[in-house]
Structures are given as structure tokens and as C-alpha cells.
Amino acid sequence: MNFTDEDMSQENSRRLRALFEMATDGIITMSSDGFIENVNQAACDLFGYAAGEMQGQKVNMLMAQYDRTHHDGYLKRYHETGDPHIIGIGRDVIGRRKDGHEFPLRLAVSEVKLDERTIYTGILHDVSAFRKAKEEVEKLNADLENKVKERTAALRQREVELKLALGKERELNELKSRFLSMASHEFKTPLSTVLSSAELIELYVEPEQQPKRERHINRIKDAVNQLTEVLDDFLSLSQLEQGRVICKPKLIDVRALISTSVESSEGQFKEGQEVILELADEPRTLMTDPKLLRHVLINLISNAAKYSSPGMPVTIRSAGTKDYCSITILDQGIGIPEEDQPHLFDRFFRARNVENVKGTGLGLNIVNHYVSLMGGRIEFTSKLGEGSSFTVHLPQDNSVL
């Protein structure tokens, strides 16, 4: 069978049509002024129209609002300038189905010049599934990144916690070392005194040796009192750490409490030392915990006497405002080295110029805690060789604590 040129042309046309219809991507051809001429079945399925509903219509019926209103301008600019906006350039656009649903498309437009006219062919691929998969991948990546960040943050937090734990362990070891050193001295010295005095008393059997016996008995009493003070400090610290110390405010007479505190501190006074009271008329009364305040004042007064030379006075002043009562203890003693002052309220800390004076290094730490429990604050000034001044500021009424 011989095929004519016309037969071959028809066969080619049928093949092209078959390929056109069998394509899985949507294919649309349109005139140079933007009217749809041909669509394949994939394009119909893509947009939800029958072929007859699209043919002869402006192609912008298949576009989202922005491109729909600007499409004619795109064509006009291309015809005037030859500068393609889409033609020959694949890009992502938004399509619009018959039911109004908008979806992402990958669009490739080519220009076909025929003998008598020019047409445009658009190949459209629905990228909804790709976009969804991409979003899921991005979400997974974001989730993974967040988990990595969370894990990194957790590891960093753990690192910080470990450093803090190591710091606390080092601090604890240092405190233990200080405690052992202090305890060794503060217990050993008075115990040695007790032992030696007891042995000597046994030797003084004659009546005329009674003064010597009394001197050693007094030494034993002093040593026992010293041990009692150390144990009292340990007990106070333990109760504070266990949260067993509670502020119990009562209405107190300020002058009376200061007087009893001075009397309780007399055992620390050296020869010729006296207390000078410079007490204001107000406040006469104060709502606070008398037991805690008395402990604070006894400690500060005893320190003032202990770190001053014989004959040096200790001055106690009081003052008040409508909100606070202030009590100040001043001495003219050895003072505190400037470099030691930031650590003065630390546990077991003792300034370098008092190493030969008995003490646990707990007194001011406990005082600071007690003042805080009473809702107040403590401050001090000191100059080496000239003395120190400690001031306790307490609220006029801390009954709400």
C-alpha cells in the first residue's frame, strides 16, 4: 500500500493528537491574544472543566487573582518589547480550579510560530504533592533542628549543673578543711587547758595553795565556756541550714533589750573597757524577735570588745525613722583588712589579722542570717588599725513575716 503525502500528514496528526491526549501533564494551547484553543484531558482533570468550557475562553480564567488581572499586561508587554515574563521560562504559579480552589503549578510556556500566526503552548504540572512533601520535609527538618537545639540546651544545662555541682563540692571540701582546722584549734586548746589545770589542782593540797586552785578552776570554767560557745555556734548553723529557725516577732523595749545584751557580753570585756550608750528617744519599742535580736547584739558587742585593746570603749547607738530602727555598735579596735571585707559573712571565714584570737568564723555568718530572718539588713564600715562599725537596720513592724 502506497501512502500519499496527505495520508502521512493525517497519520502524523493522529499520532500527535494521541500524544497530546495521553500526556500526564496538562497541555493548553492558546492564541497570541490569550484565548484557549486546545486542551488535553489531563488539563481538564487538573482544572475540573470540560474541554468545551475552556476552549474559546481567556486563559486567565485558570489563574489566581493576581495573575488573572495582570495576564493581558504580560502579553502586551511581550508583544511590544519581546521581553518574556513567562515564555521560555519555567516558573511556579498558582492555578484556580472550577470550584475556586487554588493550587500550586509548575508552568512552562513555549512560543510556536506557524506560517500564518503565532500560538503559545503551556505545559502544566500539579506540584501540590511535591509542595506538601517539601513542607513535611521542612517541618521534619525544623523539628529535628529544634530537637537538636533542645538536646544541645539540655547538654549545656547539664554542663552548667555539673560545674555548679563541682563548684559546690569544692566549696564543701574547702568548708570541711576550714572546719577541721578550726575545730582542731577551738577544741584542742580549751581541752588542753582543762586537762593541765585539773592535773595542777591535784598538786595544790595545802590550804595556803587555795588561790592557786581557784585560778585553775577559773581557767577550767573559761575553757568550758569557750567550748560551749563553739558548740552553740555549730548548733545555730545546723538549725539555720535545716530551716528550723523561725522569726517570732513580739513587741519589745529597745533600750531594755540593748541593756540585757550588754550584760550578757560582759564576759568578753577586757580590763578598762566600758560601753558608751548613745540611744535615741525613739523608737522606744520595736516589733521583732527578741531572741534573735539579742543573739545578734551579743555577738556584735562581744566582737567589738574582743578585737579592741584593754581600755578601749565600745559605743552603742540607736536611731529610728517611721519605717526602720537602727542599732550601731562601734569599736576602736584592730579593724578589718580591706581585702578580707567582701568575705566577712562567709562561713568559717576569719580575717588574717585575727588568727591568734579565738573564734569559729561562724558568728557573723549566723548574725547575717538572723538579721535577714527579721526582715532587716546589716552593713559595716571598717579601717585597719582604727576600728569597725556594724549597723543593724530592722523594720519597725515585721509581724507580717
Side-chain angles (χ1 to χ4, degrees):
M1 180 181 293
N2 294 323
F3 291 96
T4 64
D5 290 341
E6 183 179 353
D7 292 335
M8 291 296 294
S9 178
Q10 290 177 354
E11 179 64 20
N12 288 336
S13 295
R14 284 194 296 272
R15 289 179 179 179
L16 288 173
R17 187 66 191 177
L19 291 172
F20 182 77
E21 289 296 338
M22 292 172 60
T24 56
D25 285 335
I27 302 176
I28 297 175
T29 64
M30 67 179 185
S31 63
S32 60
D33 51 1
F35 285 92
I36 298 172
E37 295 183 350
N38 293 290
V39 296
N40 69 349
Q41 186 59 45
C44 294
D45 296 339
L46 195 59
F47 291 97
Y49 289 100
E53 292 178 295
M54 289 190 283
Q55 289 169 338
Q57 301 296 322
K58 279 278 191 177
V59 73
N60 62 4
M61 70 180 290
L62 307 176
M63 301 174 185
Q65 184 62 36
Y66 182 84
D67 287 333
R68 181 182 301 186
T69 57
H70 291 79
H71 183 260
D72 288 344
Y74 298 157
L75 285 175
K76 182 179 179 182
R77 185 183 66 176
Y78 176 64
H79 291 152
E80 291 176 351
T81 66
D83 182 22
H85 185 69
I86 297 178
I87 297 170
I89 304 171
R91 73 165 193 162
D92 291 332
V93 297
I94 301 297
R96 178 183 172 86
R97 293 194 174 99
K98 183 179 179 179
D99 62 6
H101 177 72
E102 295 182 353
F103 63 103
L105 286 169
R106 182 66 181 172
L107 171 64
V109 179
S110 60
E111 184 180 35
V112 180
K113 293 185 180 295
L114 304 176
D115 291 339
E116 67 282 1
R117 67 192 182 101
T118 299
I119 64 172
Y120 300 106
T121 301
I123 300 177
L124 306 103
H125 181 74
D126 185 352
V127 294
S128 298
F130 173 77
R131 286 282 183 88
K132 184 178 180 181
K134 182 180 178 182
E135 289 173 0
E136 289 179 354
V137 170
E138 289 175 349
K139 183 178 182 302
L140 288 172
N141 286 338
D143 290 343
L144 179 61
E145 186 175 346
N146 287 334
K147 287 181 180 179
V148 170
K149 288 180 179 178
E150 290 173 2
R151 181 61 177 166
T152 302
L155 289 173
R156 288 177 178 170
Q157 180 62 28
R158 181 59 178 163
E159 182 181 1
V160 171
E161 291 173 355
L162 287 172
K163 286 182 178 178
L164 288 174
L166 288 173
K168 288 180 179 179
E169 185 177 354
R170 282 194 293 268
E171 181 183 0
L172 181 60
N173 288 334
E174 184 178 348
L175 287 174
K176 287 180 179 177
S177 177
R178 289 182 185 176
F179 169 78
L180 291 173
S181 176
M182 180 277 304
S184 175
H185 179 268
E186 294 301 318
F187 281 99
K188 186 176 181 179
T189 301
L191 287 174
S192 298
T193 299
V194 170
L195 180 61
S196 62
S197 293
E199 290 174 345
L200 289 172
I201 287 174
E202 292 179 344
L203 301 178
Y204 302 140
V205 295
E206 302 299 329
E208 63 271 16
Q209 293 177 317
Q210 181 62 26
K212 293 182 179 180
R213 284 197 294 271
E214 290 179 354
R215 184 172 70 251
H216 286 290
I217 289 172
N218 288 332
R219 288 184 64 197
I220 290 173
K221 290 179 179 178
D222 289 341
V224 170
N225 288 334
Q226 184 178 342
L227 286 172
T228 300
E229 290 175 6
V230 173
L231 293 174
D232 285 343
D233 282 347
F234 289 163
L235 179 61
S236 297
L237 181 63
S238 176
Q239 290 176 333
L240 281 168
E241 290 181 341
Q242 294 174 26
R244 293 169 57 189
V245 180
I246 301 173
C247 181
K248 299 177 181 178
K250 295 179 182 177
L251 190 63
I252 65 167
D253 184 308
V254 176
R255 288 172 172 263
L257 192 137
I258 291 175
S259 295
T260 58
S261 299
V262 171
E263 290 174 5
S264 298
S265 307
E266 287 179 350
Q268 297 291 342
F269 283 88
K270 299 172 184 174
E271 185 178 354
Q273 286 184 330
E274 62 175 349
V275 174
I276 301 173
L277 297 179
E278 299 177 358
L279 307 181
D281 293 334
E282 297 294 337
R284 301 290 297 183
T285 59
L286 179 66
M287 181 66 75
T288 193
D289 188 314
K291 183 178 179 181
L292 295 183
L293 181 54
R294 186 169 179 273
H295 181 100
V296 167
L297 294 180
I298 290 174
N299 185 282
L300 295 177
I301 296 169
S302 298
N303 281 350
K306 184 164 58 173
Y307 298 121
S308 299
S309 301
M312 291 291 185
V314 174
T315 302
I316 302 177
R317 295 172 182 165
S318 70
T321 68
K322 65 177 182 178
D323 298 318
Y324 273 83
C325 171
S326 299
I327 302 174
T328 301
I329 292 90
L330 303 93
D331 66 63
Q332 300 174 24
I334 61 176
I336 305 161
E338 186 175 352
E339 59 270 27
D340 289 341
Q341 292 182 17
H343 308 288
L344 197 60
F345 295 107
D346 293 350
R347 283 182 295 175
F348 301 114
F349 180 81
R350 305 198 71 210
R352 64 198 65 192
N353 61 335
V354 299
E355 292 177 351
N356 294 325
V357 182
K358 65 179 181 179
T360 62
L362 292 175
L364 288 178
N365 178 268
I366 295 170
V367 162
N368 191 35
H369 280 296
Y370 282 178
V371 172
S372 296
L373 285 172
M374 290 186 287
R377 72 182 194 279
I378 183 170
E379 58 187 18
F380 71 93
T381 59
S382 184
K383 191 169 183 180
L384 192 63
E386 295 184 13
S388 302
S389 169
F390 285 81
T391 300
V392 176
H393 301 279
L394 297 172
Q396 285 282 13
D397 183 359
N398 68 6
S399 59
V400 296
L401 292 178

Short mmCIF file of all heavy atoms in Angstrom, two decimals, residues 247 286-289 292-293 296 323-326 367-379 391-398 401:
data_model
loop_
_atom_site.label_atom_id
_atom_site.label_comp_id
_atom_site.label_asym_id
_atom_site.label_seq_id
_atom_site.Cartn_x
_atom_site.Cartn_y
_atom_site.Cartn_z
N CYS A 247 11.41 33.31 112.74
CA CYS A 247 11.26 34.61 113.39
C CYS A 247 9.89 34.68 114.08
O CYS A 247 8.85 34.43 113.45
CB CYS A 247 11.37 35.73 112.35
SG CYS A 247 11.23 37.39 113.05
N LEU A 286 9.78 48.08 119.52
CA LEU A 286 10.02 47.52 118.19
C LEU A 286 9.36 46.15 118.11
O LEU A 286 9.43 45.36 119.06
CB LEU A 286 11.53 47.38 117.96
CG LEU A 286 12.00 46.79 116.63
CD1 LEU A 286 11.65 47.71 115.47
CD2 LEU A 286 13.51 46.55 116.67
N MET A 287 8.69 45.87 117.00
CA MET A 287 8.08 44.56 116.80
C MET A 287 9.08 43.66 116.07
O MET A 287 9.30 43.80 114.86
CB MET A 287 6.79 44.69 115.98
CG MET A 287 6.08 43.36 115.74
SD MET A 287 5.44 42.59 117.26
CE MET A 287 4.00 43.63 117.56
N THR A 288 9.72 42.78 116.82
CA THR A 288 10.72 41.88 116.21
C THR A 288 10.90 40.67 117.13
O THR A 288 10.28 40.58 118.19
CB THR A 288 12.05 42.61 115.98
OG1 THR A 288 12.88 41.81 115.12
CG2 THR A 288 12.78 42.88 117.28
N ASP A 289 11.78 39.76 116.73
CA ASP A 289 12.06 38.57 117.52
C ASP A 289 13.13 38.90 118.57
O ASP A 289 14.29 39.12 118.21
CB ASP A 289 12.53 37.43 116.61
CG ASP A 289 12.63 36.10 117.36
OD1 ASP A 289 13.19 36.08 118.47
OD2 ASP A 289 12.18 35.08 116.81
N LEU A 292 16.32 36.43 118.62
CA LEU A 292 17.25 36.59 117.51
C LEU A 292 18.02 37.90 117.63
O LEU A 292 19.24 37.93 117.42
CB LEU A 292 16.49 36.55 116.17
CG LEU A 292 15.79 35.23 115.80
CD1 LEU A 292 15.16 35.33 114.42
CD2 LEU A 292 16.76 34.06 115.84
N LEU A 293 17.31 38.99 117.96
CA LEU A 293 17.98 40.28 118.06
C LEU A 293 19.01 40.28 119.20
O LEU A 293 20.10 40.84 119.06
CB LEU A 293 16.95 41.39 118.27
CG LEU A 293 17.52 42.81 118.38
CD1 LEU A 293 18.39 43.15 117.18
CD2 LEU A 293 16.41 43.84 118.54
N VAL A 296 22.09 38.59 118.02
CA VAL A 296 22.83 39.47 117.10
C VAL A 296 23.63 40.50 117.88
O VAL A 296 24.83 40.71 117.63
CB VAL A 296 21.85 40.16 116.12
CG1 VAL A 296 22.54 41.30 115.38
CG2 VAL A 296 21.28 39.15 115.13
N ASP A 323 9.97 53.97 109.48
CA ASP A 323 9.99 52.62 108.91
C ASP A 323 11.02 51.69 109.56
O ASP A 323 10.78 50.48 109.64
CB ASP A 323 10.29 52.69 107.40
CG ASP A 323 9.21 53.45 106.65
OD1 ASP A 323 8.02 53.23 106.96
OD2 ASP A 323 9.56 54.27 105.78
N TYR A 324 12.15 52.24 110.00
CA TYR A 324 13.24 51.39 110.47
C TYR A 324 13.77 51.83 111.83
O TYR A 324 13.73 53.01 112.18
CB TYR A 324 14.41 51.40 109.47
CG TYR A 324 14.28 50.37 108.39
CD1 TYR A 324 13.52 50.62 107.25
CD2 TYR A 324 14.91 49.14 108.50
CE1 TYR A 324 13.38 49.67 106.25
CE2 TYR A 324 14.79 48.18 107.51
CZ TYR A 324 14.02 48.45 106.39
OH TYR A 324 13.90 47.50 105.40
N CYS A 325 14.30 50.83 112.54
CA CYS A 325 15.08 51.07 113.74
C CYS A 325 16.50 50.62 113.44
O CYS A 325 16.71 49.54 112.89
CB CYS A 325 14.51 50.28 114.92
SG CYS A 325 15.57 50.32 116.40
N SER A 326 17.48 51.46 113.77
CA SER A 326 18.88 51.13 113.51
C SER A 326 19.65 51.07 114.82
O SER A 326 19.51 51.96 115.67
CB SER A 326 19.52 52.17 112.58
OG SER A 326 18.84 52.20 111.34
N VAL A 367 24.84 35.81 112.40
CA VAL A 367 24.23 37.13 112.59
C VAL A 367 23.54 37.60 111.31
O VAL A 367 22.40 38.09 111.34
CB VAL A 367 25.30 38.15 113.03
CG1 VAL A 367 24.81 39.58 112.82
CG2 VAL A 367 25.68 37.94 114.49
N ASN A 368 24.20 37.45 110.19
CA ASN A 368 23.64 37.88 108.91
C ASN A 368 22.33 37.14 108.60
O ASN A 368 21.35 37.72 108.14
CB ASN A 368 24.65 37.66 107.79
CG ASN A 368 24.25 38.31 106.49
OD1 ASN A 368 23.66 39.38 106.49
ND2 ASN A 368 24.57 37.67 105.39
N HIS A 369 22.33 35.82 108.88
CA HIS A 369 21.12 35.02 108.66
C HIS A 369 19.99 35.49 109.59
O HIS A 369 18.83 35.61 109.16
CB HIS A 369 21.40 33.54 108.92
CG HIS A 369 22.07 32.85 107.77
ND1 HIS A 369 21.48 32.69 106.54
CD2 HIS A 369 23.29 32.26 107.66
CE1 HIS A 369 22.29 32.04 105.72
NE2 HIS A 369 23.40 31.78 106.38
N TYR A 370 20.31 35.73 110.85
CA TYR A 370 19.28 36.14 111.81
C TYR A 370 18.68 37.49 111.42
O TYR A 370 17.46 37.69 111.50
CB TYR A 370 19.87 36.23 113.22
CG TYR A 370 20.06 34.89 113.90
CD1 TYR A 370 20.63 34.80 115.17
CD2 TYR A 370 19.66 33.71 113.29
CE1 TYR A 370 20.80 33.57 115.81
CE2 TYR A 370 19.83 32.48 113.92
CZ TYR A 370 20.41 32.42 115.17
OH TYR A 370 20.57 31.20 115.79
N VAL A 371 19.53 38.41 111.00
CA VAL A 371 19.04 39.74 110.59
C VAL A 371 18.10 39.61 109.38
O VAL A 371 17.06 40.26 109.32
CB VAL A 371 20.21 40.69 110.27
CG1 VAL A 371 19.70 41.99 109.65
CG2 VAL A 371 21.00 40.99 111.54
N SER A 372 18.48 38.74 108.44
CA SER A 372 17.62 38.51 107.28
C SER A 372 16.27 37.92 107.69
O SER A 372 15.22 38.30 107.16
CB SER A 372 18.31 37.58 106.27
OG SER A 372 19.47 38.18 105.75
N LEU A 373 16.30 36.97 108.65
CA LEU A 373 15.05 36.37 109.13
C LEU A 373 14.15 37.42 109.77
O LEU A 373 12.91 37.32 109.72
CB LEU A 373 15.36 35.26 110.14
CG LEU A 373 15.89 33.95 109.56
CD1 LEU A 373 16.33 33.02 110.69
CD2 LEU A 373 14.81 33.26 108.72
N MET A 374 14.74 38.45 110.36
CA MET A 374 13.95 39.51 110.98
C MET A 374 13.52 40.57 109.98
O MET A 374 12.95 41.60 110.35
CB MET A 374 14.75 40.16 112.13
CG MET A 374 14.93 39.25 113.34
SD MET A 374 15.73 40.07 114.73
CE MET A 374 17.43 40.19 114.14
N GLY A 375 13.83 40.33 108.70
CA GLY A 375 13.42 41.26 107.66
C GLY A 375 14.30 42.48 107.53
O GLY A 375 13.93 43.47 106.89
N GLY A 376 15.50 42.41 108.12
CA GLY A 376 16.39 43.57 108.08
C GLY A 376 17.64 43.35 107.26
O GLY A 376 17.73 42.41 106.48
N ARG A 377 18.60 44.22 107.47
CA ARG A 377 19.89 44.10 106.78
C ARG A 377 20.99 44.60 107.72
O ARG A 377 20.72 45.38 108.65
CB ARG A 377 19.90 44.90 105.48
CG ARG A 377 19.95 46.39 105.65
CD ARG A 377 19.91 47.13 104.30
NE ARG A 377 20.27 48.52 104.42
CZ ARG A 377 19.48 49.49 104.82
NH1 ARG A 377 18.24 49.21 105.17
NH2 ARG A 377 19.91 50.74 104.90
N ILE A 378 22.20 44.14 107.47
CA ILE A 378 23.35 44.56 108.29
C ILE A 378 24.41 45.13 107.36
O ILE A 378 24.64 44.62 106.26
CB ILE A 378 23.91 43.38 109.12
CG1 ILE A 378 25.05 43.86 110.02
CG2 ILE A 378 24.35 42.24 108.24
CD1 ILE A 378 25.49 42.82 111.05
N GLU A 379 25.03 46.20 107.77
CA GLU A 379 26.12 46.80 107.00
C GLU A 379 27.24 47.20 107.95
O GLU A 379 27.02 47.34 109.16
CB GLU A 379 25.61 48.01 106.21
CG GLU A 379 25.00 49.10 107.07
CD GLU A 379 24.35 50.21 106.24
OE1 GLU A 379 24.08 49.96 105.05
OE2 GLU A 379 24.14 51.31 106.79
N THR A 391 26.12 48.13 111.75
CA THR A 391 24.78 48.69 111.94
C THR A 391 23.73 47.70 111.48
O THR A 391 23.80 47.19 110.35
CB THR A 391 24.61 50.01 111.17
OG1 THR A 391 25.57 50.96 111.63
CG2 THR A 391 23.21 50.58 111.39
N VAL A 392 22.77 47.44 112.36
CA VAL A 392 21.64 46.55 112.05
C VAL A 392 20.41 47.42 111.81
O VAL A 392 20.03 48.21 112.68
CB VAL A 392 21.38 45.56 113.20
CG1 VAL A 392 20.14 44.72 112.88
CG2 VAL A 392 22.60 44.68 113.43
N HIS A 393 19.82 47.29 110.61
CA HIS A 393 18.60 48.01 110.28
C HIS A 393 17.43 47.03 110.31
O HIS A 393 17.45 46.02 109.57
CB HIS A 393 18.70 48.65 108.89
CG HIS A 393 19.84 49.62 108.73
ND1 HIS A 393 19.77 50.91 109.18
CD2 HIS A 393 21.06 49.47 108.17
CE1 HIS A 393 20.92 51.51 108.91
NE2 HIS A 393 21.72 50.66 108.29
N LEU A 394 16.44 47.32 111.13
CA LEU A 394 15.28 46.44 111.25
C LEU A 394 14.00 47.20 110.98
O LEU A 394 13.88 48.37 111.35
CB LEU A 394 15.21 45.83 112.66
CG LEU A 394 16.38 44.92 113.06
CD1 LEU A 394 16.26 44.55 114.53
CD2 LEU A 394 16.40 43.66 112.21
N PRO A 395 13.02 46.56 110.33
CA PRO A 395 11.73 47.24 110.10
C PRO A 395 11.01 47.48 111.42
O PRO A 395 11.12 46.67 112.36
CB PRO A 395 10.97 46.25 109.20
CG PRO A 395 11.60 44.92 109.47
CD PRO A 395 13.05 45.20 109.76
N GLN A 396 10.27 48.58 111.51
CA GLN A 396 9.56 48.88 112.75
C GLN A 396 8.52 47.83 113.10
O GLN A 396 8.23 47.59 114.26
CB GLN A 396 8.87 50.26 112.62
CG GLN A 396 9.82 51.44 112.70
CD GLN A 396 10.24 51.74 114.14
OE1 GLN A 396 10.01 50.94 115.04
NE2 GLN A 396 10.86 52.89 114.34
N ASP A 397 7.98 47.20 112.06
CA ASP A 397 6.96 46.19 112.31
C ASP A 397 7.13 45.05 111.31
O ASP A 397 6.81 45.20 110.14
CB ASP A 397 5.54 46.78 112.18
CG ASP A 397 4.46 45.78 112.51
OD1 ASP A 397 4.80 44.63 112.83
OD2 ASP A 397 3.28 46.16 112.44
N ASN A 398 7.69 43.93 111.75
CA ASN A 398 7.84 42.78 110.86
C ASN A 398 6.90 41.65 111.29
O ASN A 398 7.18 40.47 111.08
CB ASN A 398 9.28 42.30 110.78
CG ASN A 398 9.80 41.70 112.09
OD1 ASN A 398 9.03 41.54 113.04
ND2 ASN A 398 11.07 41.39 112.13
N LEU A 401 5.95 38.93 108.80
CA LEU A 401 6.92 37.96 108.28
C LEU A 401 6.52 36.55 108.66
O LEU A 401 5.92 36.32 109.70
CB LEU A 401 8.32 38.28 108.83
CG LEU A 401 8.94 39.58 108.33
CD1 LEU A 401 10.29 39.79 109.00
CD2 LEU A 401 9.08 39.60 106.83
#
